[in-house]
Each structure stands twice: as structure tokens, then as C-alpha cells.
Amino acid sequence: IRPFQSSKTYIRFQPNYLYEHIQTLREVGLVAQTDDLTNNWMFLFEFSLRNNQVTFDLKIGSGEQKAREQLYEIYKINNDLFTKVVKANGLLRPQWHQAFQKQILTKTEIEKYFENDSNDIEQLIESRFRELIDKDLPKIVERINQEITNKNK
């Protein structure tokens, strides 16, 4: 993974897959011909750090609307994995559209930590992070790859 523009509240990254397949992403219209991904917000992989929870979110960020709609369709077709993509109104949100979420720490786990009832929060975070990186992220990348490979035939 590669670091991406982060803040106090959001730790962002981009999977190496995007860089390794940039030409294919360009060919299917998900990435502009001149885009080198260094400022591409459309594939938004981020940890959201709040005082009451930590989550991993995969969102469709800002970008060229046609490409956003195409990515939205890829996620929608695979909504068994991208369980947050279909909203009640069935529409793509104008800027940030959540597609996948994984809970890293719950409010209760954070409260227990601060009450000193739980000293193993580091192991819990590491375990859930490893599951995300080793299991969930490869599934996400595999589904995107399947769809763009099918579109590129």
C-alpha cells in the first residue's frame, strides 16, 4: 500500500494494485490518460479515526463524473462485498459515496480501554488491521480487477 493525503481524522492509502494496473484503468476510463494517481481521490481507501470508533471505509471520492459512475456500477454489481454502496435512493452521492466499511474499534472497546479494563487493544487493532489487509483488501482488488478485465475484453 502507498500513503495518500491524510489528516488527524483520516488516514488514507492507495493499494499498489492501482499503480500496477494504471494503464488498464486508463483504457476502461476509470483513470484519465494524464492521471498518475498522486492526487486521485476517486479510489478512496481510508481509516476514519473518531473519539467513539475507528472504521475502515472504501469510498468513491471526487473525480470525473463518468468515471465515478462507472466505479459505482462496478461496486453495485458486487454489492455482496461492497455492502454499503446501494443507498435508499439508489443514487450515487455527488462527492463521497461509501461502498465498503469495516469496524476496527467499537465505542465499547474504546471505553473499556480508557477504563483500563482492556489492555489488549493493540492486539485487537493489529488483528483487525491484518484481517483487512490480508483478506478484505485482496477481495476488493480482485473484484475491481475482474470487472475491469471483463470491460477491457
Side-chain angles (χ1 to χ4, degrees), residues 25-148:
L25 293 168
R26 287 176 177 149
E27 290 168 6
V28 298
L30 287 172
V31 174
Q33 291 299 319
T34 57
D35 191 346
D36 65 0
L37 298 175
T38 56
N39 198 28
N40 184 308
W41 287 80
M42 194 173 75
F43 298 91
L44 198 54
F45 294 78
E46 64 186 14
F47 290 95
S48 175
L49 311 173
R50 304 285 184 207
N51 61 356
N52 63 348
Q53 69 177 349
V54 177
T55 59
F56 167 76
D57 298 320
L58 170 60
K59 296 177 182 172
I60 301 170
S62 59
E64 203 278 323
Q65 189 60 23
K66 185 176 177 185
R68 292 181 78 247
E69 290 169 4
Q70 190 175 345
L71 186 58
Y72 175 68
E73 289 302 319
I74 289 172
Y75 291 162
K76 229 168 70 170
I77 290 167
N78 293 280
N79 68 355
D80 61 313
L81 176 60
F82 303 108
T83 57
K84 301 285 186 177
V85 75
V86 178
K87 307 298 180 208
N89 67 3
L91 301 174
L92 173 63
R93 295 204 170 134
Q95 190 170 11
W96 314 110
H97 189 98
Q98 190 172 53
F100 176 92
Q101 185 175 68
K102 184 177 188 78
Q103 191 85 37
I104 304 297
L105 284 179
T106 65
K107 181 179 180 177
T108 303
E109 291 163 341
I110 292 170
E111 288 170 352
K112 280 186 177 182
Y113 172 74
F114 284 115
E115 293 168 0
N116 288 324
D117 289 348
S118 176
N119 293 328
D120 54 34
I121 199 163
E122 287 178 25
Q123 291 100 346
L124 186 59
I125 293 169
E126 185 172 340
S127 168
R128 291 186 181 153
F129 177 78
R130 289 278 26 119
E131 183 177 323
L132 173 72
I133 297 300
D134 296 339
K135 294 181 181 174
D136 297 322
L137 193 56
K139 285 180 194 172
I140 290 167
V141 166
E142 178 185 340
R143 293 288 181 89
I144 294 169
N145 192 50
Q146 283 174 352
E147 294 300 327
I148 66 169

Side-chain angles (χ1 to χ4, degrees), residues 1-4 12-16 18-19 37 40 43 45:
I1 62 175
R2 297 180 187 207
F4 190 63
R12 298 183 179 107
F13 67 92
Q14 294 175 319
N16 289 330
L18 296 175
Y19 291 87
L37 298 175
N40 184 308
F43 298 91
F45 294 78

